[in-house]
Amino acid sequence: MTIAPSPGRKASRSVAVAAALATLSVSVVACADSAPAVTADCVVKQPNGQYKAVDDDYCDDRRGGGSSFIWIYGGTSRGGYVSGGTTYRPANTNITSRSGKVVVGGFGGSAKSGGGS
């Protein structure tokens, strides 16, 4: 003789699975929102080697290759010039330019960055 599970037991398993999935999705969203924030500056390298800050639109990916405008991530802006930081886009971060343009956000975000010179 086989004993079938009661309908109430099957329903409670479905509720438990649904609750677990909801918790997991909230956790993933919370992780994405808790990614570290990084400030980016669109710059052009000057003949003296300094990086001069320019409008973010110059670093727009739609401008095509060969551009001399690049993003500097995590640098310090002083007097219209940016020092420090890196030209390599840091992974798993929320990147926003100083003017408020979202460059890339959170886990799984993507954006192309300019290369260093």
Side-chain angles (χ1 to χ4, degrees):
M1 173 182 244
T2 306
I3 300 173
S6 67
R9 178 176 268 189
K10 195 171 194 177
S12 66
R13 284 186 190 155
S14 296
V15 169
V17 169
L21 289 174
T23 301
L24 178 61
S25 65
V26 167
S27 297
V28 169
V29 169
C31 284
D33 289 339
S34 66
V38 174
T39 301
D41 293 282
C42 182
V43 298
V44 62
K45 191 171 186 178
Q46 300 295 292
N48 65 4
Q50 291 184 309
Y51 291 101
K52 181 178 171 116
V54 296
D55 190 274
D56 293 346
D57 289 340
Y58 287 106
C59 287
D60 192 332
D61 291 336
R62 293 173 288 191
R63 287 189 176 259
S67 174
S68 59
F69 300 99
I70 58 172
W71 288 108
I72 298 284
Y73 304 99
T76 303
S77 178
R78 203 172 280 147
Y81 289 88
V82 178
S83 61
T86 180
T87 58
Y88 295 99
R89 181 173 48 90
N92 302 327
T93 56
N94 290 318
I95 303 172
T96 308
S97 72
R98 289 192 197 278
S99 68
K101 178 179 182 178
V102 174
V103 178
V104 63
F107 292 90
S110 64
K112 294 180 183 176
S113 68
S117 18

XYZ file of all heavy atoms in Angstrom:
813
model
N 0.832 -1.159 0.000
C 0.000 0.000 0.000
C 0.893 1.245 0.000
O 1.805 1.365 0.789
C -0.899 -0.050 1.233
C -1.688 1.188 1.400
S -2.661 1.055 2.885
C -4.257 1.098 2.207
N 0.616 2.189 -0.899
C 1.370 3.419 -1.004
C 0.569 4.546 -0.385
O -0.616 4.685 -0.659
C 1.655 3.766 -2.480
O 2.274 2.644 -3.076
C 2.524 4.980 -2.594
N 1.259 5.344 0.412
C 0.578 6.472 1.055
C 0.965 7.734 0.286
O 2.146 8.065 0.175
C 0.974 6.599 2.529
C 0.600 5.323 3.269
C 0.346 7.828 3.155
C 1.080 5.274 4.685
N -0.008 8.408 -0.246
C 0.238 9.643 -1.003
C 0.311 10.817 -0.026
O -0.387 10.834 0.979
C -0.891 9.871 -2.008
N 1.196 11.794 -0.337
C 1.259 12.967 0.547
C -0.053 13.728 0.498
O -0.738 13.765 -0.508
C 2.400 13.794 -0.032
C 2.629 13.285 -1.402
C 2.102 11.886 -1.459
N -0.377 14.304 1.618
C -1.617 15.056 1.683
C -1.495 16.331 0.854
O -0.404 16.856 0.671
C -1.945 15.408 3.144
O -0.990 16.318 3.625
N -2.603 16.859 0.307
C -2.571 18.074 -0.494
C -1.979 19.252 0.265
O -1.313 20.090 -0.300
C -4.036 18.321 -0.858
C -4.737 17.028 -0.644
C -3.948 16.276 0.371
N -2.193 19.324 1.554
C -1.661 20.422 2.350
C -0.137 20.406 2.396
O 0.523 21.426 2.357
N 0.454 19.220 2.462
C 1.904 19.085 2.515
C 2.518 19.530 1.194
O 3.532 20.217 1.171
C 2.270 17.643 2.822
C 3.761 17.419 2.856
C 4.075 16.029 3.241
N 4.229 16.030 4.702
C 4.678 15.014 5.390
N 4.978 13.884 4.785
N 4.817 15.086 6.689
N 1.896 19.159 0.068
C 2.403 19.548 -1.249
C 2.335 21.070 -1.421
O 3.259 21.692 -1.921
C 1.596 18.851 -2.339
C 2.239 18.884 -3.681
C 1.474 17.992 -4.648
C 2.292 17.749 -5.887
N 1.639 16.857 -6.803
N 1.269 21.676 -0.964
C 1.111 23.130 -1.066
C 2.146 23.840 -0.207
O 2.711 24.849 -0.613
C -0.303 23.533 -0.655
N 2.426 23.309 0.983
C 3.397 23.982 1.847
C 4.800 23.902 1.245
O 5.599 24.815 1.415
C 3.368 23.395 3.262
O 3.815 22.057 3.250
N 5.118 22.819 0.528
C 6.416 22.739 -0.160
C 6.508 23.799 -1.250
O 7.540 24.427 -1.426
C 6.612 21.348 -0.762
C 6.973 20.316 0.234
C 7.288 19.009 -0.427
N 7.407 17.959 0.573
C 7.214 16.698 0.344
N 6.895 16.288 -0.872
N 7.350 15.818 1.303
N 5.431 23.985 -1.987
C 5.421 25.005 -3.040
C 5.619 26.396 -2.452
O 6.350 27.216 -2.997
C 4.102 24.967 -3.817
O 3.974 23.739 -4.487
N 4.977 26.651 -1.329
C 5.125 27.941 -0.670
C 6.567 28.118 -0.196
O 7.157 29.185 -0.345
C 4.123 28.082 0.507
C 4.431 29.295 1.362
C 2.704 28.148 -0.027
N 7.152 27.065 0.349
C 8.539 27.139 0.834
C 9.507 27.408 -0.309
O 10.422 28.225 -0.179
C 8.910 25.847 1.557
N 9.304 26.748 -1.439
C 10.164 26.962 -2.606
C 9.997 28.393 -3.119
O 10.975 29.078 -3.413
C 9.854 25.935 -3.719
C 10.541 26.301 -5.014
C 10.273 24.543 -3.270
N 8.766 28.869 -3.200
C 8.514 30.234 -3.661
C 9.155 31.249 -2.712
O 9.761 32.228 -3.151
C 7.013 30.494 -3.778
N 9.059 31.013 -1.421
C 9.662 31.920 -0.439
C 11.178 31.923 -0.566
O 11.823 32.973 -0.490
C 9.247 31.524 0.973
N 11.773 30.753 -0.789
C 13.227 30.663 -0.954
C 13.677 31.415 -2.199
O 14.678 32.136 -2.178
C 13.658 29.204 -1.021
N 12.948 31.275 -3.286
C 13.289 31.989 -4.518
C 13.149 33.493 -4.348
O 13.978 34.262 -4.835
C 12.423 31.499 -5.679
C 12.743 30.097 -6.191
C 11.727 29.674 -7.241
C 14.150 30.034 -6.744
N 12.126 33.936 -3.654
C 11.933 35.370 -3.410
C 13.080 35.918 -2.565
O 13.612 36.991 -2.844
C 10.598 35.620 -2.722
N 13.490 35.170 -1.549
C 14.605 35.598 -0.696
C 15.893 35.681 -1.502
O 16.660 36.635 -1.372
C 14.785 34.613 0.481
O 13.574 34.570 1.220
C 15.932 35.023 1.377
N 16.123 34.710 -2.362
C 17.320 34.702 -3.195
C 17.338 35.902 -4.136
O 18.357 36.580 -4.269
C 17.412 33.410 -4.006
C 18.600 33.292 -4.953
C 19.906 33.343 -4.168
C 18.508 32.022 -5.762
N 16.217 36.215 -4.768
C 16.187 37.350 -5.696
C 16.394 38.668 -4.969
O 17.072 39.556 -5.468
C 14.883 37.376 -6.500
O 13.785 37.609 -5.653
N 15.856 38.807 -3.765
C 16.071 40.020 -2.974
C 17.551 40.120 -2.596
O 18.144 41.193 -2.637
C 15.165 40.034 -1.721
C 15.588 41.109 -0.742
C 13.720 40.221 -2.134
N 18.181 39.002 -2.268
C 19.606 38.994 -1.905
C 20.472 39.430 -3.070
O 21.420 40.183 -2.894
C 20.026 37.595 -1.450
O 19.331 37.220 -0.294
N 20.162 38.951 -4.271
C 20.935 39.324 -5.449
C 20.804 40.815 -5.723
O 21.789 41.502 -5.982
C 20.502 38.497 -6.688
C 21.103 39.050 -7.956
C 20.884 37.040 -6.492
N 19.605 41.347 -5.628
C 19.391 42.775 -5.837
C 20.119 43.580 -4.763
O 20.770 44.578 -5.057
C 17.881 43.121 -5.851
C 17.659 44.620 -5.802
C 17.238 42.525 -7.088
N 20.073 43.146 -3.531
C 20.753 43.848 -2.449
C 22.260 43.866 -2.672
O 22.920 44.859 -2.434
C 20.422 43.204 -1.109
N 22.822 42.766 -3.164
C 24.262 42.718 -3.452
C 24.613 43.710 -4.552
O 25.628 44.390 -4.478
C 24.685 41.320 -3.877
S 24.790 40.166 -2.503
N 23.795 43.769 -5.577
C 24.072 44.685 -6.688
C 24.031 46.128 -6.204
O 24.835 46.953 -6.622
C 23.077 44.466 -7.822
N 23.093 46.427 -5.322
C 22.977 47.791 -4.825
C 24.082 48.143 -3.840
O 24.375 49.310 -3.624
C 21.618 48.011 -4.171
C 20.496 48.038 -5.191
O 20.761 48.282 -6.378
O 19.356 47.816 -4.787
N 24.702 47.140 -3.222
C 25.744 47.415 -2.244
C 27.139 47.417 -2.866
O 28.120 47.469 -2.145
C 25.667 46.401 -1.101
O 25.973 45.106 -1.582
N 27.223 47.365 -4.183
C 28.523 47.415 -4.848
C 29.182 48.757 -4.549
O 28.520 49.780 -4.449
C 28.348 47.231 -6.359
N 30.505 48.755 -4.394
C 31.193 50.008 -4.087
C 31.002 51.054 -5.183
O 30.907 50.716 -6.363
C 32.660 49.604 -3.991
C 32.702 48.123 -4.020
C 31.395 47.628 -4.502
N 30.963 52.300 -4.786
C 30.811 53.403 -5.743
C 32.195 53.916 -6.143
O 33.086 54.037 -5.308
C 30.013 54.532 -5.114
N 32.350 54.175 -7.441
C 33.597 54.713 -7.973
C 33.247 55.914 -8.846
O 32.288 55.881 -9.603
C 34.347 53.652 -8.813
C 35.560 54.243 -9.496
C 34.755 52.469 -7.951
N 34.030 56.971 -8.718
C 33.827 58.156 -9.542
C 34.752 58.089 -10.748
O 35.922 57.715 -10.629
C 34.131 59.431 -8.727
O 33.263 59.447 -7.588
C 33.903 60.679 -9.552
N 34.218 58.437 -11.924
C 34.998 58.424 -13.155
C 35.070 59.830 -13.729
O 34.155 60.627 -13.566
C 34.351 57.486 -14.168
N 36.174 60.109 -14.411
C 36.356 61.385 -15.098
C 36.739 61.107 -16.544
O 37.633 60.301 -16.803
C 37.495 62.184 -14.444
C 37.153 62.623 -13.040
O 36.399 63.589 -12.895
O 37.647 61.992 -12.079
N 36.071 61.778 -17.470
C 36.462 61.721 -18.879
C 37.601 62.723 -19.040
O 37.472 63.891 -18.656
C 35.278 62.088 -19.770
S 35.661 61.980 -21.539
N 38.726 62.254 -19.588
C 39.912 63.106 -19.677
C 40.576 62.973 -21.045
O 40.313 62.040 -21.800
C 40.950 62.745 -18.588
C 40.384 62.953 -17.198
C 41.458 61.321 -18.759
N 41.458 63.924 -21.322
C 42.343 63.854 -22.477
C 43.752 64.130 -21.958
O 43.952 65.019 -21.120
C 41.933 64.844 -23.597
C 41.998 66.285 -23.138
C 42.753 64.609 -24.853
N 44.719 63.342 -22.414
C 46.093 63.503 -21.952
C 46.734 64.694 -22.654
O 46.696 64.815 -23.866
C 46.894 62.232 -22.222
C 48.245 62.233 -21.544
C 48.915 60.875 -21.660
C 50.193 60.839 -20.855
N 50.813 59.511 -20.918
N 47.316 65.574 -21.860
C 47.970 66.782 -22.358
C 49.432 66.469 -22.730
O 49.991 65.484 -22.254
C 47.928 67.876 -21.282
C 46.520 68.273 -20.863
C 45.748 68.907 -21.995
O 46.063 69.998 -22.428
N 44.744 68.203 -22.485
N 50.060 67.306 -23.556
C 51.461 67.083 -23.924
C 52.402 66.994 -22.711
O 53.413 66.298 -22.760
C 51.813 68.297 -24.783
C 50.504 68.757 -25.337
C 49.487 68.445 -24.273
N 52.043 67.663 -21.609
C 52.893 67.620 -20.409
C 52.638 66.375 -19.560
O 53.198 66.226 -18.484
C 52.707 68.883 -19.573
C 51.295 69.019 -19.005
O 50.450 68.143 -19.167
N 51.042 70.141 -18.357
N 51.759 65.460 -20.029
C 51.479 64.213 -19.322
C 50.326 64.270 -18.354
O 49.901 63.246 -17.831
N 49.782 65.457 -18.087
C 48.646 65.578 -17.180
C 47.353 65.214 -17.914
O 47.277 65.304 -19.138
C 48.539 66.998 -16.637
C 49.652 67.377 -15.686
C 49.415 68.765 -15.114
O 49.179 69.724 -15.844
N 49.476 68.867 -13.791
N 46.360 64.814 -17.130
C 45.052 64.481 -17.685
C 44.083 65.618 -17.399
O 43.781 65.914 -16.242
C 44.521 63.174 -17.085
C 45.295 61.965 -17.529
C 46.255 61.388 -16.711
C 45.062 61.410 -18.783
C 46.970 60.280 -17.130
C 45.767 60.303 -19.206
C 46.715 59.749 -18.380
O 47.415 58.643 -18.799
N 43.591 66.252 -18.470
C 42.648 67.364 -18.346
C 41.225 66.816 -18.444
O 40.886 66.077 -19.367
C 42.887 68.389 -19.449
C 41.959 69.579 -19.354
C 42.255 70.603 -20.421
C 41.178 71.639 -20.403
N 41.543 72.918 -20.077
N 40.368 67.200 -17.489
C 38.969 66.768 -17.487
C 38.221 67.448 -18.631
O 38.409 68.638 -18.888
C 38.320 67.109 -16.151
N 37.386 66.681 -19.335
C 36.566 67.191 -20.429
C 35.138 66.695 -20.235
O 34.868 65.870 -19.364
C 37.116 66.749 -21.812
C 38.485 67.345 -22.077
C 37.162 65.242 -21.936
N 34.221 67.167 -21.051
C 32.822 66.749 -20.980
C 32.707 65.232 -21.183
O 33.389 64.661 -22.028
C 32.018 67.492 -22.062
C 30.541 67.289 -21.873
O 30.014 66.269 -22.387
O 29.901 68.131 -21.218
N 31.822 64.601 -20.409
C 31.620 63.148 -20.470
C 31.299 62.645 -21.874
O 31.628 61.513 -22.226
C 30.478 62.719 -19.542
C 30.805 62.917 -18.083
O 31.981 63.136 -17.749
O 29.860 62.851 -17.261
N 30.640 63.478 -22.679
C 30.246 63.045 -24.021
C 31.441 62.660 -24.880
O 31.313 61.874 -25.811
C 29.440 64.130 -24.729
C 28.054 64.294 -24.126
O 27.577 63.354 -23.449
O 27.451 65.358 -24.313
N 32.622 63.189 -24.588
C 33.804 62.828 -25.354
C 34.212 61.375 -25.141
O 34.899 60.790 -25.973
C 34.984 63.749 -25.016
C 34.827 65.132 -25.577
C 34.510 66.204 -24.744
C 34.993 65.373 -26.940
C 34.361 67.483 -25.259
C 34.843 66.652 -27.465
C 34.530 67.702 -26.611
O 34.377 68.956 -27.131
N 33.819 60.780 -24.029
C 34.147 59.381 -23.740
C 33.014 58.434 -24.126
O 33.061 57.249 -23.819
C 34.482 59.214 -22.258
S 36.083 59.918 -21.815
N 31.989 58.941 -24.793
C 30.860 58.131 -25.232
C 31.349 57.051 -26.184
O 32.087 57.333 -27.122
C 29.824 59.025 -25.923
C 28.510 58.331 -26.142
O 28.493 57.085 -26.279
O 27.489 59.025 -26.201
N 30.929 55.815 -25.955
C 31.344 54.672 -26.774
C 30.965 54.813 -28.242
O 31.563 54.194 -29.103
C 30.727 53.377 -26.244
C 31.304 52.984 -24.906
O 32.436 53.394 -24.600
O 30.614 52.265 -24.164
N 29.977 55.634 -28.546
C 29.497 55.744 -29.933
C 30.420 56.580 -30.808
O 30.232 56.674 -32.007
C 28.091 56.337 -29.950
C 27.071 55.386 -29.331
C 25.751 56.053 -29.209
N 25.872 57.039 -28.118
C 24.868 57.677 -27.582
N 23.674 57.488 -28.022
N 25.057 58.531 -26.602
N 31.426 57.195 -30.235
C 32.341 58.025 -31.032
C 33.277 57.193 -31.899
O 33.942 57.718 -32.766
C 33.150 58.942 -30.129
C 32.338 60.075 -29.575
C 33.248 61.062 -28.880
N 32.473 62.198 -28.434
C 32.438 63.358 -29.072
N 33.133 63.554 -30.152
N 31.697 64.342 -28.609
N 33.405 55.906 -31.613
C 34.255 55.052 -32.431
C 35.653 54.928 -31.869
O 36.017 55.559 -30.885
N 36.453 54.095 -32.507
C 37.812 53.815 -32.041
C 38.771 54.954 -32.332
O 38.480 55.899 -33.047
N 39.948 54.850 -31.758
C 40.993 55.826 -32.018
C 40.843 57.126 -31.263
O 41.580 58.070 -31.491
N 39.907 57.195 -30.332
C 39.686 58.422 -29.584
C 40.812 58.630 -28.574
O 41.332 57.697 -27.994
C 38.352 58.339 -28.849
O 38.192 59.459 -28.015
N 41.196 59.876 -28.367
C 42.217 60.184 -27.364
C 41.585 60.502 -26.014
O 42.286 60.854 -25.075
C 43.077 61.354 -27.838
O 42.267 62.485 -28.065
N 40.269 60.362 -25.917
C 39.556 60.623 -24.675
C 39.342 59.312 -23.939
O 38.919 58.325 -24.543
C 38.207 61.297 -24.953
C 38.374 62.609 -25.674
C 38.202 62.689 -27.042
C 38.731 63.749 -24.974
C 38.361 63.890 -27.705
C 38.894 64.953 -25.630
C 38.716 65.027 -26.999
N 39.656 59.296 -22.657
C 39.550 58.070 -21.864
C 38.897 58.359 -20.520
O 38.827 59.506 -20.083
C 40.940 57.436 -21.623
C 41.866 58.426 -20.907
C 41.552 56.952 -22.923
C 43.179 57.825 -20.457
N 38.423 57.301 -19.873
C 37.889 57.399 -18.518
C 39.022 57.120 -17.533
O 39.795 56.189 -17.721
C 36.785 56.373 -18.263
C 35.490 56.647 -18.946
C 34.967 55.972 -20.004
C 34.530 57.654 -18.598
N 33.746 56.505 -20.336
C 33.452 57.535 -19.495
C 34.481 58.645 -17.619
C 32.338 58.368 -19.432
C 33.377 59.477 -17.562
C 32.311 59.331 -18.464
N 39.097 57.921 -16.494
C 39.971 57.650 -15.344
C 39.034 57.313 -14.188
O 38.126 58.081 -13.872
C 40.833 58.877 -14.963
C 41.769 59.267 -16.094
C 41.604 58.619 -13.665
C 42.984 58.380 -16.259
N 39.250 56.157 -13.566
C 38.390 55.685 -12.485
C 39.080 55.894 -11.140
O 40.216 55.478 -10.947
C 38.075 54.199 -12.669
C 37.450 53.909 -14.013
C 38.214 53.422 -15.068
C 36.098 54.132 -14.225
C 37.652 53.164 -16.299
C 35.526 53.877 -15.458
C 36.303 53.393 -16.492
O 35.737 53.152 -17.704
N 38.387 56.558 -10.220
C 38.884 56.714 -8.867
C 39.974 57.753 -8.703
O 40.679 57.754 -7.699
N 40.119 58.647 -9.664
C 41.139 59.691 -9.560
C 40.674 60.860 -8.710
O 39.536 60.908 -8.231
N 41.572 61.808 -8.525
C 41.278 63.018 -7.772
C 41.251 64.195 -8.737
O 42.188 64.374 -9.516
C 42.358 63.265 -6.699
O 42.423 62.118 -5.857
C 42.055 64.490 -5.868
N 40.171 64.975 -8.698
C 40.030 66.120 -9.592
C 40.407 67.387 -8.839
O 39.898 67.652 -7.746
C 38.586 66.220 -10.084
O 38.424 67.341 -10.907
N 41.318 68.160 -9.459
C 41.744 69.410 -8.840
C 42.099 70.397 -9.950
O 42.949 70.114 -10.790
C 42.975 69.140 -7.969
C 43.178 70.165 -6.889
C 44.281 69.772 -5.927
N 43.773 68.801 -4.969
C 44.508 67.823 -4.445
N 45.757 67.688 -4.766
N 43.977 67.010 -3.584
N 41.424 71.534 -9.954
C 41.740 72.578 -10.921
C 41.555 72.176 -12.372
O 42.260 72.648 -13.251
N 40.598 71.306 -12.647
C 40.335 70.881 -14.019
C 41.220 69.748 -14.508
O 41.121 69.318 -15.659
N 42.083 69.229 -13.643
C 42.960 68.113 -13.996
C 42.704 66.949 -13.043
O 42.295 67.134 -11.906
C 44.437 68.532 -13.930
C 44.805 69.464 -15.049
C 44.647 70.834 -14.918
C 45.272 68.970 -16.269
C 44.957 71.696 -15.951
C 45.589 69.826 -17.312
C 45.424 71.182 -17.146
O 45.726 72.027 -18.182
N 42.956 65.729 -13.537
C 42.710 64.533 -12.745
C 44.041 63.821 -12.528
O 44.811 63.632 -13.470
C 41.708 63.594 -13.469
C 41.497 62.316 -12.669
C 40.385 64.313 -13.696
N 44.286 63.435 -11.288
C 45.497 62.685 -10.972
C 45.122 61.406 -10.243
O 44.056 61.306 -9.636
C 46.446 63.529 -10.109
O 45.826 63.870 -8.900
N 46.023 60.439 -10.287
C 45.765 59.155 -9.638
C 44.716 58.373 -10.396
O 44.390 58.664 -11.540
N 44.163 57.377 -9.760
C 43.147 56.548 -10.384
C 43.739 55.573 -11.380
O 44.956 55.365 -11.425
N 42.890 54.991 -12.188
C 43.294 53.982 -13.157
C 42.468 54.099 -14.421
O 41.345 54.601 -14.389
C 43.145 52.561 -12.558
O 43.557 51.585 -13.528
C 41.711 52.264 -12.142
N 43.009 53.620 -15.526
C 42.254 53.588 -16.781
C 41.529 52.256 -16.943
O 40.774 52.079 -17.886
C 43.175 53.808 -17.995
O 44.192 52.808 -17.994
C 43.797 55.195 -17.953
N 41.754 51.325 -16.019
C 41.079 50.027 -16.066
C 39.786 50.102 -15.268
O 39.804 50.471 -14.092
C 41.985 48.918 -15.516
C 43.201 48.718 -16.371
C 44.420 49.291 -16.021
C 43.117 47.991 -17.549
C 45.532 49.127 -16.822
C 44.226 47.829 -18.355
C 45.436 48.388 -17.989
O 46.532 48.234 -18.789
N 38.690 49.750 -15.924
C 37.377 49.811 -15.270
C 37.318 48.772 -14.156
O 37.472 47.576 -14.395
C 36.266 49.542 -16.276
C 34.882 49.621 -15.663
C 33.780 49.508 -16.700
N 33.942 48.424 -17.628
C 33.455 47.194 -17.439
N 32.794 46.908 -16.353
N 33.634 46.269 -18.345
N 37.118 49.204 -12.906
C 37.029 48.251 -11.801
C 35.771 47.399 -11.907
O 34.707 47.897 -12.269
C 37.002 49.125 -10.556
C 36.848 50.528 -11.010
C 37.006 50.580 -12.481
N 35.909 46.122 -11.606
C 34.784 45.184 -11.691
C 33.863 45.332 -10.488
O 34.285 45.760 -9.413
C 35.316 43.758 -11.762
N 32.624 44.967 -10.682
C 31.622 44.896 -9.614
C 31.514 46.183 -8.799
O 31.535 46.162 -7.574
C 31.916 43.705 -8.697
C 31.942 42.404 -9.446
O 31.219 42.223 -10.421
N 32.779 41.488 -9.022
N 31.416 47.291 -9.513
C 31.283 48.592 -8.869
C 30.176 49.385 -9.548
O 29.797 49.089 -10.678
C 32.590 49.403 -8.970
O 32.954 49.528 -10.330
C 33.717 48.741 -8.196
N 29.678 50.392 -8.865
C 28.753 51.350 -9.455
C 29.587 52.564 -9.837
O 30.108 53.251 -8.961
C 27.662 51.754 -8.458
C 26.696 50.622 -8.190
O 26.283 49.920 -9.093
N 26.355 50.430 -6.939
N 29.730 52.806 -11.134
C 30.593 53.884 -11.602
C 29.736 55.030 -12.120
O 28.893 54.844 -12.988
C 31.541 53.397 -12.714
C 32.374 52.230 -12.196
C 32.434 54.540 -13.189
C 33.204 51.543 -13.252
N 29.991 56.217 -11.584
C 29.280 57.429 -11.972
C 30.306 58.524 -12.208
O 31.271 58.655 -11.451
C 28.314 57.871 -10.858
O 27.489 56.768 -10.499
C 27.445 59.022 -11.293
N 30.091 59.318 -13.265
C 31.002 60.439 -13.512
C 30.704 61.556 -12.521
O 29.658 61.565 -11.873
C 30.841 60.953 -14.944
O 29.623 61.638 -15.082
N 31.607 62.512 -12.423
C 31.398 63.639 -11.502
C 30.158 64.446 -11.881
O 29.535 65.061 -11.032
C 32.623 64.542 -11.488
C 33.784 63.881 -10.794
C 34.919 64.811 -10.490
N 36.100 64.021 -10.220
C 36.384 63.454 -9.057
N 35.567 63.597 -8.053
N 37.478 62.742 -8.907
N 29.778 64.436 -13.157
C 28.594 65.187 -13.573
C 27.308 64.380 -13.396
O 26.230 64.864 -13.691
C 28.735 65.629 -15.030
O 28.702 64.504 -15.883
N 27.421 63.127 -12.929
C 26.240 62.325 -12.646
C 25.896 61.277 -13.676
O 24.944 60.530 -13.495
N 26.634 61.178 -14.761
C 26.372 60.153 -15.776
C 26.757 58.788 -15.219
O 27.846 58.610 -14.684
C 27.199 60.438 -17.034
C 27.033 59.392 -18.118
C 27.859 59.747 -19.349
C 27.644 58.720 -20.432
N 28.392 59.067 -21.646
N 25.832 57.811 -15.326
C 26.142 56.461 -14.887
C 26.974 55.807 -15.972
O 26.538 55.667 -17.113
C 24.855 55.649 -14.612
C 25.193 54.200 -14.297
C 24.068 56.280 -13.485
N 28.191 55.437 -15.619
C 29.098 54.812 -16.574
C 28.822 53.324 -16.616
O 28.684 52.738 -17.670
C 30.567 55.114 -16.212
C 31.521 54.432 -17.173
C 30.801 56.619 -16.194
N 28.725 52.689 -15.473
C 28.338 51.282 -15.372
C 27.943 51.036 -13.927
O 28.518 51.614 -13.016
C 29.469 50.319 -15.826
C 30.669 50.450 -14.938
C 29.012 48.881 -15.872
N 26.934 50.183 -13.728
C 26.465 49.962 -12.376
C 26.398 48.510 -11.968
O 25.923 47.692 -12.704
N 26.887 48.208 -10.794
C 26.680 46.948 -10.117
C 27.231 45.720 -10.795
O 28.013 45.785 -11.719
N 26.798 44.561 -10.299
C 27.238 43.287 -10.820
C 26.615 43.040 -12.178
O 25.442 43.292 -12.380
C 26.826 42.156 -9.867
C 27.553 42.213 -8.572
C 27.039 42.926 -7.504
C 28.766 41.581 -8.431
C 27.702 42.980 -6.308
C 29.437 41.630 -7.231
C 28.904 42.331 -6.167
N 27.400 42.558 -13.116
C 26.884 42.238 -14.433
C 26.732 43.431 -15.340
O 26.360 43.290 -16.481
N 27.031 44.623 -14.856
C 26.963 45.809 -15.710
C 28.084 45.773 -16.720
O 29.081 45.105 -16.548
N 27.915 46.485 -17.815
C 28.987 46.497 -18.791
C 29.067 47.855 -19.461
O 28.071 48.515 -19.659
C 28.752 45.423 -19.860
O 27.594 45.708 -20.586
N 30.265 48.231 -19.733
C 30.534 49.437 -20.494
C 31.976 49.343 -20.953
O 32.809 48.751 -20.297
C 30.338 50.689 -19.636
N 32.248 49.893 -22.093
C 33.614 49.874 -22.589
C 34.344 51.080 -22.034
O 33.776 52.139 -21.861
C 33.627 49.928 -24.115
C 33.034 48.691 -24.740
C 33.069 48.812 -26.233
C 32.408 47.598 -26.871
N 32.331 47.708 -28.304
N 35.607 50.886 -21.766
C 36.401 52.023 -21.301
C 37.501 52.271 -22.295
O 37.881 51.389 -23.062
C 36.994 51.730 -19.924
O 37.963 50.713 -20.017
N 38.004 53.475 -22.270
C 39.118 53.799 -23.141
C 40.384 53.176 -22.612
O 40.499 52.847 -21.444
N 41.358 52.985 -23.471
C 42.638 52.442 -23.046
C 43.537 53.519 -22.525
O 43.334 54.696 -22.784
N 44.525 53.125 -21.780
C 45.497 54.078 -21.267
C 46.476 54.476 -22.349
O 46.599 53.844 -23.368
N 47.167 55.563 -22.162
C 48.170 55.948 -23.146
C 49.526 55.978 -22.531
O 49.733 56.020 -21.391
C 47.899 57.289 -23.769
O 47.017 58.102 -23.086
